[in-house]
Amino acid sequence: MTSTSFSPGLSENRLRIADSAPGFMPLDEAHALHDTAATLLSKPDSVGIGVEIGTYCGKSTVFLGAAAEPVDALIVTVDHHRGSEEHQPGWEYHDTELVDPHSGLLDTAARFRQTMFDAELESTVLGLLAPSTAAARVWGREVDFVFIDGGHSMEAAQNDYDGWARWVRPGGALLIHDVFPDPADGGRPPYEIYCQARASGRFVEASAHGSLRVLTRIA
């Protein structure tokens, strides 16, 4: 695996660690995520904070942390670590190795911490263990970007958009993963909140990378 990105934080070792972490983001989209975050966090008007909604085991978080570290920025990644609907028993993406034997429930928190430890990003990435709705209630400041990659039910996606898009600073960006205009390619909720963002008059599409959409806040 070879890095094509410009950040000194995205080392071959971190690429290897991200590759080994359970997760679902294609490498080309992960690189686009990294480069977008690095650009936003290095701007003169940056506030030095980016937010990720939906951590899972930290695969995409490695790319965000690698973008933040060289400019002494922070990444806050929000997840209840019990998994989304598709991660539960009987569903396609259920991973029995991530089930906590004490509770009998999915628990990805320890695997996320392992990823951050191995990637040496524990001082750059702050893991917020909470549902995004609860975390949004106590959040209170603008950020350079919000990356939404949480639950893919309509309720979960809508809650993530309603709770977090408003914190993107003017000139910052809202990033949404798994946006599929064709229903045959994937679930609709991320596409629906992408359409809401564009229709709001606050965001305009800046770029698209596979299923990743980058929307700049203009108002």
Side-chain angles (χ1 to χ4, degrees), residues 15 18 69 71 140 143 166 178 212:
L15 285 168
E69 184 187 59
V71 292
V143 300
R166 61 196 175 104
D178 292 329
L212 176 66

Side-chain angles (χ1 to χ4, degrees), residues 4 19 27 35 41 52 54 56 59 71-72 82 102 168 171 183 186:
T4 59
D19 185 52
L27 182 59
D35 292 350
L41 293 169
E52 175 182 50
Y56 198 56
K59 180 185 289 289
V71 292
D72 197 29
R82 292 300 190 193
H102 176 72
V168 176

Side-chain angles (χ1 to χ4, degrees), residues 58-73:
K59 180 185 289 289
S60 58
T61 320
V62 172
F63 288 87
L64 293 173
E69 184 187 59
V71 292
D72 197 29

Side-chain angles (χ1 to χ4, degrees), residues 106-135:
L106 196 77
D107 190 344
T108 56
R111 187 60 179 85
F112 158 66
R113 292 196 69 176
Q114 176 186 320
T115 304
M116 294 302 102
F117 175 83
D118 290 346
E120 299 181 336
L121 287 170
E122 290 183 305
S123 296
T124 299
V125 173
L126 309 181
L128 184 50
L129 201 162
S132 78
T133 49

Side-chain angles (χ1 to χ4, degrees), residues 52-61 77-79 81 112 128 149:
E52 175 182 50
I53 307 300
T55 313
Y56 198 56
C57 296
K59 180 185 289 289
S60 58
T61 320
T77 183
V78 181
D79 202 311
H81 286 285
F112 158 66
L128 184 50
D149 192 22

Side-chain angles (χ1 to χ4, degrees), residues 1 7 19 28 32 42 51 58 63 67 78 82 86 93 141 168 180 185 187 190 192 206 214:
M1 188 182 297
S7 170
D19 185 52
D28 58 337
S42 63
V51 171
F63 288 87
V78 181
R82 292 300 190 193
E86 65 270 18
Y93 295 107
R141 60 175 301 167
V168 176
F180 298 109
D185 294 331
E192 294 294 339
V214 179

